[in-house]
Amino acid sequence: MAKLTLSFRSKTINAYFFETGQSISIGRNEDNDITIDSLAIAPVHVTLIFKQSGAVIEPENETTIVYVNEKVITSTELQHGDSITIGKHTLLYSDEKPAIEMNQSDEGDSDFADVSSILFGRKIQLGNLQVLSGSKAGHVIQLSKSQVRIGKSNASEVEFLRCNDGYYFSATRERHTGSVRLNNEPVHKQTLKIADGDYLKIDNTELLFFEE
């Protein structure tokens, strides 16, 4: 499975997943597979074909400039970790391999989450985590409980708290220094408020927090 992670000014916006054999377009028009609402992007800016050996990227025409790893390209085959720049937006290409196994259980008997409930006040928007990497990529976890712990005995562990004014996030255990990150900044023992669109990384697993 291939993944394209869209970001703007180093802030992750969304992640998209594609299977071998798919062909997609990226541009400003809403009928593209990936739509980027920016005047710096052409209505159809670039196309990609996902093959068994990788992905081939090609600008729509000679006026739609595309950079791969800061070099202008005409048509090229992408490699894992390549950075694509169109307009002011960046897409990171990755060929996904399984990361840590992730699953969730309200009974708390899985190796992914130990979930417990406490009383909370007024109703707030429901928080969710979209898994961006590993074998569970694309899976969405609802943070419907007031307290959710995520981790394994031999890995990092984090905790999410649902409070009256939103969601808070803390690292209760780090596998090693810097293994838990919020928007690419290391999280240690502090408790931080998280917002819609925040990017989290727990060991090798990437997550996107969003509210609905």
Side-chain angles (χ1 to χ4, degrees):
M1 177 181 288
K3 179 180 73 171
L4 291 172
T5 304
L6 176 65
S7 61
F8 179 71
R9 293 180 178 175
S10 300
K11 185 175 179 64
T12 301
I13 298 173
N14 208 340
Y16 305 87
F17 302 89
F18 302 99
E19 301 289 347
T20 299
Q22 282 189 264
S23 176
I24 69 162
S25 64
I26 302 172
R28 192 171 69 244
N29 285 351
E30 293 185 357
D31 56 355
N32 287 289
D33 298 279
I34 298 178
T35 300
I36 303 175
D37 186 14
S38 170
L39 293 176
I41 308 290
V44 179
H45 202 102
V46 67
T47 59
L48 286 92
I49 301 174
F50 297 94
K51 300 181 178 181
Q52 191 68 39
S53 59
V56 176
I57 182 171
E58 185 173 350
E60 181 66 13
N61 54 55
E62 65 275 6
T63 66
T64 55
I65 306 301
V66 178
Y67 295 86
V68 172
N69 300 329
E70 301 183 349
K71 295 181 179 179
V72 177
I73 59 100
T74 52
S75 177
T76 191
E77 186 167 324
L78 296 173
Q79 304 297 321
H80 177 77
D82 279 350
S83 176
I84 307 159
T85 302
I86 54 175
K88 298 179 180 180
H89 288 71
T90 301
L91 289 148
L92 180 67
Y93 171 77
S94 54
D95 185 11
E96 285 299 293
K97 300 293 190 297
I100 63 172
E101 182 178 352
M102 302 182 72
N103 51 70
Q104 185 175 20
S105 169
D106 284 348
E107 291 76 25
D109 60 355
S110 74
D111 60 7
F112 168 70
D114 171 33
V115 181
S116 59
S117 297
I118 59 176
L119 293 177
F120 58 91
R122 62 182 178 84
K123 184 178 180 181
I124 62 172
Q125 285 188 303
L126 179 63
N128 300 271
L129 295 172
Q130 181 183 9
V131 184
L132 302 179
S133 64
S135 59
K136 297 292 184 179
H139 181 62
V140 174
I141 305 157
Q142 288 191 340
L143 300 176
S144 56
K145 303 295 183 181
S146 296
Q147 183 181 30
V148 178
R149 286 191 177 184
I150 297 174
K152 298 173 68 174
S153 58
N154 61 344
S156 298
E157 181 185 77
V158 299
E159 182 177 68
F160 295 88
L161 294 175
R162 187 184 186 190
C163 301
N164 287 345
D165 60 342
Y167 283 86
Y168 288 80
F169 165 80
S170 63
T172 53
R173 183 178 64 243
E174 292 182 272
R175 187 174 185 179
H176 55 77
T177 302
S179 61
V180 178
R181 291 178 173 268
L182 174 63
N183 296 325
N184 293 319
E185 294 295 328
V187 176
H188 300 299
K189 294 297 182 181
Q190 69 266 46
T191 299
L192 302 172
K193 189 174 184 180
I194 54 176
D196 186 62
D198 277 349
Y199 166 82
L200 301 97
K201 188 171 184 180
I202 306 167
D203 295 334
N204 294 322
T205 301
E206 301 170 63
L207 301 161
L208 181 70
F209 175 80
F210 66 96
E211 295 178 329
E212 61 180 8

